[in-house]
């Protein structure tokens, strides 16, 4: 109807002409049911044809990755996520970046892109002066408990003036490349990596390449020179800064590139990372998965990079997310008010899940391993199923529930559907899909939306849309199974057809849950 007015025609007349042209198109003929219908004042009603739905479902049931097409234009995409700090244990604040970033990287790889997963760890800076000096004073000190070690060093730094001065001198030694200091620094980094890797293994996060702040040290001076020579950066109160180009009166707080004492900051390292990803990695797209509180920082960094560096067609995108809160809506913390360690959070999820499983079936075997899969899956799915930009209240009870849009519900649904699929295929195999009942068509139509849902995730970077699709798929399948017998269908052809619908549904759930969201699957629950 919107185009009728400029054409100076009746909307129904325009709709009729559109229908005639569409029906003559070969692609439309292979996809939509004809004849198309003109309704009301000028609407065009379209329905996917049974032949198209049948072909799509058969491909999903038999082809790799449900027959999902690759992107028409392959790109090199860097996904920057997780980013814990060396000498500190990962805490609840790292949960969302790690989970969301990994799901996005999985999706982009599934679409056929060259994905580089980078972990911009905090492995450099003034805090290492106090840590290394404390380690040097206590060569027998255990650094296996990183939290305790960090607290000890920080307490000395805050209370001992002599120690504080020596810590600052140690920073200078580190920056100058003193061999003994570098050896101690590497020791701290190695211990931290062991802790990080243990968490990543539990979360099924693989292929994350460490490119910490120290990696960019040799690039900092060149980046600063580019900013100065291009006129983008200027000296203000002794520091080198970049003002927002729209801030003509220079009233807003600028992006500080180099402090008045010559020291570099996070912004300098981030700009060096942009330079590396553009010149060395030849990236087309870079995603920064961090909390929403850093939006202003990345906006300023991106603007400075675009003004001073030749980025070509490389896009820089901040993927912000909200905070994890307690059930009271306040900061998610321990009873003593401290930040919750990620290890403790995952332990608690597994422990609670095991208790629930034992209450349901105390005689079952391997409940501990089952609790690990379901407990970790519950934590991940609870995060990914929500709008990433919203804060969310962390609740073990809700995420471990067997009802609603939760991992236990989805894993139970997958195990049940896969069991039906397995038994049906053993009896009749898969066959041509014949859609006779409305419940069959409803299931086939929703299955056909998988490809568009994955493409939308690639573009919009919102995993909750995929979770919504999967949850609705499980519900639609339940309605199908209630009204359309599979194993007791009236003929072998119908049994084979419905077995194929089961196989396509199981394949879609597996692809979404395991391959994209990174959630382990189970055969029973």
């Amino acid at each position: 109807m919107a185009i009728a007015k400029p054409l100076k025609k009746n909307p129904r007349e325009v709709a009729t002409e559109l229908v005639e042209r569409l029906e003559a198109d070969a692609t439309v003929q292979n996809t939509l049911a004809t004849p198309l219908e003109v309704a009301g004042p000028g609407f065009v009603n379209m329905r996917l044809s049974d032949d198209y739905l049948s072909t799509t479902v058969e491909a999903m049931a038999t082809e790799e990755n449900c027959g999902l097409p690759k992107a028409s234009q392959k790109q090199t995409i860097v996904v920057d996520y997780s980013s814990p700090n060396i000498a500190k244990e990962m805490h609840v604040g790292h949960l969302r970046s790690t989970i969301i970033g990994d799901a996005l990287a999985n999706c982009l790889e599934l679409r056929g892109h060259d994905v580089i997963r980078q972990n911009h760890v905090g492995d450099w800076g003034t805090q290492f002066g106090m840590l290394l000096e404390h380690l040097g004073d206590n060569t027998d000190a255990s650094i296996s408990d990183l939290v305790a070690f960090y607290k000890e060093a920080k307490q000395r730094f805050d209370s001992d003036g002599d120690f504080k001065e020596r810590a600052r001198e140690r920073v200078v030694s580190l920056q100058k490349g003193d061999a003994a200091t570098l050896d101690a620094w590497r020791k701290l980094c190695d211990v931290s990596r062991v802790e990080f890797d243990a968490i990543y293994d539990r979360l099924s996060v693989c292929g994350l390449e460490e490119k910490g702040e120290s990696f960019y040290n040799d690039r900092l001076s060149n980046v600063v020179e580019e900013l100065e020579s291009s006129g983008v950066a200027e000296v203000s109160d002794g520091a080198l800064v970049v003002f927002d180009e729209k801030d003509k009166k220079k009233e807003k707080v600028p992006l500080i590139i180099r402090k008045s004492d010559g020291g570099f900051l996070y912004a300098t390292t981030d700009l060096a990372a942009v330079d590396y990803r553009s010149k060395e990695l030849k990236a087309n797209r870079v995603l920064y998965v961090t909390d929403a509180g850093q939006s202003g920082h990345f906006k300023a960094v991106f603007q400075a990079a675009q003004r001073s560096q030749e980025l070509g067609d490389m896009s820089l995108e901040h993927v912000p997310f909200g905070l994890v809160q307690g059930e009271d809506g306040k900061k998610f913390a321990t009873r003593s008010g401290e930040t919750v360690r990620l290890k403790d959070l995952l332990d608690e999820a597994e422990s609670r899940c095991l208790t629930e499983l034992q209450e349901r079936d105390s005689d079952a075997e391997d409940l501990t391993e089952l609790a690990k899969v379901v407990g970790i899956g519950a934590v991940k799915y609870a995060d990914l199923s929500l709008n990433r930009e919203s804060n969310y209240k962390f609740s073990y009870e809700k995420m471990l529930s067997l009802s609603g849009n939760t991992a236990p519900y989805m894993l139970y649904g997958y195990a049940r559907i896969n069991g039906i699929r397995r038994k049906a295929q053993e009896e009749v195999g898969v066959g041509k899909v014949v859609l006779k009942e409305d419940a069959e068509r409803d299931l086939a139509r929703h299955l056909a939306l998988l490809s568009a849902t994955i493409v939308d995730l690639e573009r919009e970077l919102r995993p909750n849309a995929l979770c919504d699709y999967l949850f609705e798929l499980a519900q639609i399948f339940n309605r199908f199974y209630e009204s359309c017998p599979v194993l007791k269908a009236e003929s072998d052809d119908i049994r084979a057809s419905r077995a194929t619908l089961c196989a396509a549904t199981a394949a879609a759930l597996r692809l979404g849950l395991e391959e994209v969201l990174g959630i382990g699957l189970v055969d029973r629950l």
Side-chain angles (χ1 to χ4, degrees):
M1 290 189 290
I3 63 174
K5 189 173 181 179
L7 293 175
K8 297 180 180 180
K9 290 184 177 182
N10 180 283
R12 281 190 65 90
E13 181 184 354
V14 174
T16 300
E17 291 180 13
L18 179 61
V19 164
E20 290 174 353
R21 295 191 181 189
L22 286 173
E23 289 182 341
D25 184 271
T27 302
V28 172
Q29 292 173 3
N30 293 329
T31 306
L32 300 178
T34 55
L36 304 180
E37 300 173 357
V38 177
F43 296 108
V44 178
N45 292 335
M46 302 180 186
R47 293 178 295 107
L48 294 172
S49 70
D50 283 358
D51 285 345
Y52 173 79
L53 290 173
S54 297
T55 302
T56 300
V57 170
E58 290 161 14
M60 291 180 68
T62 58
E63 295 182 12
E64 184 182 11
N65 294 329
C66 295
L68 184 73
K70 301 296 185 183
S72 58
Q73 186 173 359
K74 187 175 183 179
Q75 293 184 317
T76 296
I77 303 176
V78 176
V79 185
D80 182 328
Y81 64 102
S82 194
S83 306
N85 292 309
I86 292 294
K88 290 184 180 180
E89 287 191 280
M90 293 178 72
H91 55 74
V92 67
H94 298 111
L95 177 66
R96 302 205 75 184
S97 177
T98 304
I99 291 173
I100 295 170
D102 201 56
L104 297 179
N106 292 339
C107 172
L108 295 166
E109 281 187 347
L110 190 64
R111 289 284 289 144
H113 298 296
D114 286 331
V115 178
I116 301 171
R117 305 163 187 249
Q118 289 198 336
N119 197 359
H120 191 91
V121 298
D123 65 352
W124 202 256
T126 56
Q127 75 274 18
F128 281 93
M130 68 177 189
L131 294 170
L132 295 172
E133 191 62 24
H134 182 57
L135 183 62
D137 288 348
N138 301 272
T139 54
D140 296 330
S142 172
I143 57 175
S144 58
D145 187 341
L146 291 169
V147 173
F149 181 82
Y150 189 93
K151 286 181 178 179
E152 290 172 4
K154 186 68 167 64
Q155 185 177 21
R156 290 187 68 191
F157 187 83
D158 292 338
S159 62
D160 186 336
D162 178 63
F163 177 79
K164 180 182 288 188
E165 184 59 33
R166 286 188 287 116
R168 287 172 175 165
E169 292 173 359
R170 181 71 74 167
V171 172
V172 175
S173 297
L174 179 64
Q175 293 173 338
K176 288 183 177 180
D178 175 70
T181 302
L182 282 174
D183 285 343
W185 170 75
R186 293 188 188 100
K187 183 178 179 181
L188 278 177
C189 291
D190 289 342
V191 171
S192 296
R193 289 189 190 102
V194 171
E195 298 292 331
F196 297 162
D197 288 345
I199 294 293
Y200 293 142
D201 184 59
R202 295 178 72 178
L203 292 173
S204 300
V205 172
C206 304
L208 190 53
E209 174 189 6
E210 183 180 310
K211 282 289 183 288
E213 294 170 358
S214 63
F215 176 79
Y216 301 103
N217 282 343
D218 295 340
R219 293 177 171 268
L220 299 180
S221 296
N222 289 337
V223 166
V224 171
E225 287 178 11
E226 284 185 358
L227 287 163
E228 287 185 292
S229 62
S230 63
V232 172
E234 60 186 88
V235 176
S236 176
D237 294 330
L240 187 68
V241 304
V242 176
F243 284 98
D244 187 325
E245 59 182 341
K246 295 181 181 178
D247 182 21
K248 303 301 181 184
K249 295 183 179 180
K250 301 180 180 178
E251 296 174 334
K252 298 179 181 178
V253 177
L255 182 71
I256 302 176
I257 304 301
R258 186 181 62 211
K259 295 187 294 184
S260 58
D261 63 3
F264 298 124
L265 294 96
Y266 292 126
T268 326
T269 304
D270 285 332
L271 285 166
V274 172
D275 182 71
Y276 169 74
R277 290 161 179 172
S278 172
K279 294 178 180 176
E280 301 294 329
L281 300 183
K282 309 294 183 184
N284 303 107
R285 189 182 187 191
V286 185
L287 308 181
Y288 294 78
V289 187
T290 75
D291 68 273
Q294 297 188 52
S295 294
H297 167 78
F298 281 109
K299 180 181 178 181
V301 167
F302 295 168
Q303 186 186 97
Q306 289 159 352
R307 291 170 62 191
S308 63
Q309 301 178 21
E310 295 182 4
L311 302 182
D313 65 348
M314 185 174 81
S315 69
L316 303 171
E317 303 170 47
H318 183 217
V319 185
F321 54 81
L323 302 176
V324 181
Q325 300 174 325
E327 292 189 70
D328 58 0
K330 298 179 181 179
K331 176 185 176 182
F332 188 50
T334 64
R335 290 180 180 179
S336 61
E338 296 183 345
T339 301
V340 177
R341 298 192 305 175
L342 190 47
K343 175 183 180 299
D344 294 340
L345 182 150
L346 299 179
D347 287 345
E348 182 70 12
E350 290 180 8
S351 175
R352 292 194 183 208
C353 186
L354 179 59
T355 299
E356 290 198 16
L357 291 172
Q358 289 172 335
E359 290 174 354
R360 287 187 217 143
D361 189 357
S362 59
D363 296 328
E365 297 180 357
D366 299 326
L367 288 184
T368 300
E369 290 304 312
L370 186 61
K372 289 180 180 180
V373 176
V374 178
I376 300 298
V379 171
K380 297 179 77 170
Y381 193 85
D383 190 308
L384 295 168
S385 63
L386 300 172
N387 179 354
R388 61 169 164 76
E389 293 190 61
S390 300
N391 296 338
Y392 85 94
K393 297 178 182 179
F394 191 95
S395 169
Y396 290 109
E397 183 178 352
K398 290 181 179 178
M399 67 177 58
L400 291 171
S401 173
L402 260 175
S403 61
N405 192 10
T406 65
Y409 174 85
M410 296 303 302
L411 293 177
Y412 173 78
Y414 171 80
R416 176 170 172 263
I417 293 166
N418 201 38
I420 296 167
R421 188 264 323 158
R422 190 163 48 240
K423 191 169 183 180
Q425 288 184 329
E426 287 173 357
E427 293 189 11
V428 296
V430 294
K432 181 174 176 56
V433 173
V434 180
L435 304 173
K436 293 184 175 296
E437 304 294 334
D438 288 343
E440 293 172 318
R441 286 191 182 85
D442 289 342
L443 180 56
R445 287 192 192 104
H446 194 73
L447 284 167
L449 293 175
L450 175 63
S451 179
T453 302
I454 296 296
V455 171
D456 186 64
L457 175 55
E458 173 192 11
R459 181 177 60 250
E460 300 297 331
L461 308 175
R462 295 184 181 277
N464 64 295
L466 175 59
C467 294
D468 291 342
Y469 167 86
L470 297 171
F471 180 54
E472 189 174 355
L473 175 60
Q475 292 179 307
I476 292 173
F477 180 87
N478 287 340
R479 293 194 289 271
F480 154 78
Y481 191 66
E482 288 172 4
S483 60
C484 300
V486 178
L487 300 175
K488 296 182 179 180
E490 59 267 31
S491 70
D492 286 346
D493 287 345
I494 298 300
R495 276 198 295 275
S497 171
R498 291 175 181 173
T500 304
L501 281 164
C502 292
T505 302
L509 289 173
R510 184 199 62 76
L511 181 78
L513 290 170
E514 188 171 50
E515 298 300 323
V516 179
L517 301 181
I519 293 172
L521 301 176
V522 296
D523 292 326
R524 63 181 177 86
L525 185 59

